[in-house]
Amino acid sequence: MAELVALLTWRDEAGARERAAIVASLRESCALVAPSLSGGRNGGDLIVRTTVSDAGSADPSFGLGDRLDAAVSCNDGAVFDMVAGEGNPLASPVYRAALFHALPRASADRLEAFEAETAAMPRRIAAIRGWRLGRVTQSCGRFAWSHVWEQGFDRLEGLTKDYMMAPCHWGQVDRWFDPEHPDFVIDPGLCHAFAYNDRHERRP
């Protein structure tokens, strides 16, 4: 099994009918297809999330090929293998995905420490429901993504307040993203997107 998440940005010239047709096609095979909410960072217009049987069959264009390319100006996507997780982030009303890319100079030891601290956050932030941390095996978009960090929340405030304001977030994990900190290993050019999951009750 392999996981695939993509943040799509519509082209200005893509009309409402074309966009609706793309969304309808994606919804036939994907677990989540939802408009990105405001307040993200490089979050695009649409979040798409699915699982495929194996990494070799993962297609960042979701089988739409040139049709998708003609409708979107940017597809920040990643195929990833889970390295840590609990529950199902798609089983909650609010879904959040973040795409990170590690600096080329980042050592394996430093990245393992970053992963361990990130994976420890759900034990300290009760608002996080299902979650996954993954290493990227295939990337597309504006950066060569190295990690995917996704969570589910019962309420939007669980992300925007409980998560973002948690001391373990801004006081500990954020240092990995700070160019002025000696532990800096993750480029600040990240993607942070979230959406309401209107189909969460149908998830296993």
Side-chain angles (χ1 to χ4, degrees):
M1 303 291 284
E3 312 296 334
L4 173 58
V5 62
L7 311 177
L8 308 180
T9 302
W10 296 117
R11 294 187 185 276
D12 291 339
E13 58 269 28
R17 181 175 297 180
E18 183 179 6
R19 297 182 186 190
I22 292 288
V23 169
S25 295
L26 292 170
R27 277 182 168 266
E28 291 178 0
S29 60
C30 297
L32 173 72
V33 181
S36 301
L37 296 173
S38 62
R41 182 174 177 183
N42 299 323
D45 298 311
L46 192 72
I47 303 177
V48 184
R49 179 69 169 82
T50 192
T51 301
V52 293
S53 58
D54 62 86
S57 64
D59 177 11
S61 72
F62 302 94
L64 300 178
D66 293 342
R67 183 181 166 203
L68 186 68
D69 291 340
V72 303
S73 60
C74 183
N75 178 356
D76 282 310
V79 180
F80 64 98
D81 294 329
M82 186 177 74
V83 295
E86 184 176 351
N88 181 3
L90 292 167
S92 296
V94 176
Y95 171 81
R96 184 261 185 154
L99 305 182
F100 305 143
H101 65 111
L103 301 175
R105 64 172 173 79
S107 68
D109 288 346
R110 302 305 292 161
L111 288 178
E112 287 179 5
F114 159 73
E115 292 173 356
E117 287 192 8
T118 301
M121 291 176 73
R123 296 198 298 270
R124 303 174 181 178
I125 305 174
I128 297 177
R129 301 311 184 201
W131 61 276
R132 291 189 182 111
L133 176 65
R135 292 176 187 155
V136 174
T137 59
Q138 182 181 347
S139 171
C140 65
R142 69 193 81 192
F143 296 113
W145 306 113
S146 62
H147 293 82
V148 173
W149 170 231
E150 60 177 2
Q151 310 92 47
F153 298 88
D154 289 338
R155 302 175 300 113
L156 186 58
E157 292 79 5
L159 169 63
T160 60
K161 293 183 179 180
D162 298 353
Y163 176 92
M164 290 298 179
M165 298 180 183
C168 67
H169 182 222
W170 55 261
Q172 182 178 14
V173 175
D174 270 6
R175 78 185 192 282
W176 301 106
F177 301 81
D178 184 354
E180 297 182 356
H181 197 284
D183 286 339
F184 173 51
V185 293
I186 305 295
D187 194 290
L190 56 84
C191 286
H192 156 53
F194 49 98
Y196 289 118
N197 182 2
D198 62 357
R199 300 195 290 180
H200 74 278
E201 292 181 352
R202 305 179 203 175
R203 302 283 166 253

